[in-house]
Amino acid sequence: MMPRLRTSHPAFTLVELLVVMAIIAILTAILLPALGQARSRADSIQCVSHLRQIGAGIAAYVTDHEGRMPGPLRMKQSADVGGEADGSLARLLENYLGKPAVATTARPAPREDLFICPAAARQLRGRNTPTYIMNMLPVPGFEQPAWGDASLRQAPLQFAAMSNWADAQIDGRPLTLAELWAIKDADQRYFQEIGSEPESVKDLPPTPAHGDHRNALFYDFHVGPVKLLKVVITVTRVEP
């Protein structure tokens, strides 16, 4: 009779399993922060790309409309667009920003996806809410925003009127268009900083999407970061 060969399949011991699990946990703890930072950088790069495309669209619009800025607009852009008079920049630039990823009609459609910061969309869990806002600071000498104001039916200004901001002073020197943001990231904290009611902006991210800064398109059409304001809250104790 032939002898029966016995094969052994050694199993992992409990100690070996614990060692493997410990190694996996250590590798995960090392890699997750790096992956998170890489994702944040990628989101910020894409956000900057969105703003640059919007800036190029605005510049083309100004050229085609005899130097006039697009408008009238609203500070907070809305996902519900109905026409050119609704204050939507995406609607006004629909001929200048290319086609959406999914085109449903033959005519140009508003590129609302370009008005959503990818980092903010992550906080909003993919909700299609525009997260860029317009600068509604009045231009000196005109007492109205460069875009006009849709709620007041104010017409937009000529781009040349922007040079009036050089008359304004900051730290004893004139402001330049490179220091004035035109469009930037928005969040609930920003509206708290400017003293506005946060109830009306609950559809925006609660905190800045990029952590320590907000991306912005400036009036000279470059894109860069805007540092966060340091808000100091003073609590006065009232004696009973």
Side-chain angles (χ1 to χ4, degrees):
M1 296 180 62
M2 295 294 294
R4 181 177 296 177
L5 298 177
R6 301 181 62 183
T7 58
S8 60
H9 299 281
F12 285 108
T13 65
L14 178 60
V15 174
E16 289 172 331
L17 287 174
L18 291 176
V19 170
V20 171
M21 292 174 64
I23 292 173
I24 293 174
I26 292 171
L27 291 176
T28 301
I30 294 173
L31 293 176
L32 279 182
L35 291 174
Q37 292 175 3
R39 186 176 64 182
S40 297
R41 285 194 295 270
D43 285 343
S44 185
I45 291 171
Q46 189 175 354
C47 174
V48 167
S49 176
H50 285 188
L51 289 169
R52 283 177 176 160
Q53 291 180 69
I54 294 171
I58 293 172
Y61 181 99
V62 169
T63 300
D64 288 348
H65 290 77
E66 300 180 345
R68 188 169 295 278
M69 298 288 284
L73 302 177
R74 299 182 187 275
M75 179 181 189
K76 186 173 178 293
Q77 295 291 286
S78 171
D80 299 318
V81 292
E84 293 187 355
D86 66 356
S88 168
L89 182 60
R91 177 66 69 183
L92 288 174
L93 298 183
E94 62 186 7
N95 292 315
Y96 301 94
L97 296 180
K99 296 181 179 179
V102 179
T104 57
T105 59
R107 69 184 294 270
R111 289 295 309 274
E112 293 173 357
D113 58 307
L114 292 180
F115 290 78
I116 303 173
C117 169
R122 202 179 299 281
Q123 287 193 38
L124 297 172
R125 298 185 179 181
R127 293 203 305 271
N128 295 326
T129 299
T131 58
Y132 297 144
I133 58 171
M134 315 304 300
N135 188 347
M136 304 302 282
L137 183 70
V139 178
F142 293 91
E143 304 306 323
Q144 73 168 70
W147 323 99
D149 192 325
S151 61
L152 300 177
R153 298 183 179 180
Q154 290 177 336
L157 299 175
Q158 295 283 329
F159 182 76
M162 312 294 287
S163 61
N164 281 15
W165 257 313
D167 297 334
Q169 298 285 320
I170 180 171
D171 297 331
R173 61 177 178 79
L175 279 172
T176 66
L177 297 185
E179 296 173 292
L180 290 160
W181 65 269
I183 307 171
K184 74 173 179 179
D185 288 318
D187 47 79
Q188 295 179 35
R189 176 179 163 181
Y190 170 76
F191 283 88
Q192 291 173 349
E193 290 172 359
I194 64 175
S196 179
E197 289 293 333
E199 290 294 325
S200 61
V201 291
K202 282 189 173 180
D203 56 339
L204 293 176
T207 57
H210 304 295
D212 62 347
H213 70 279
R214 299 182 178 99
N215 288 329
L217 169 71
F218 290 78
Y219 278 115
D220 69 340
F221 298 112
H222 88 276
V223 177
V226 176
K227 293 182 179 179
L228 302 184
L229 297 175
K230 293 183 178 180
V231 180
V232 178
I233 300 176
T234 303
V235 178
T236 304
R237 183 177 179 181
V238 179
E239 296 294 337

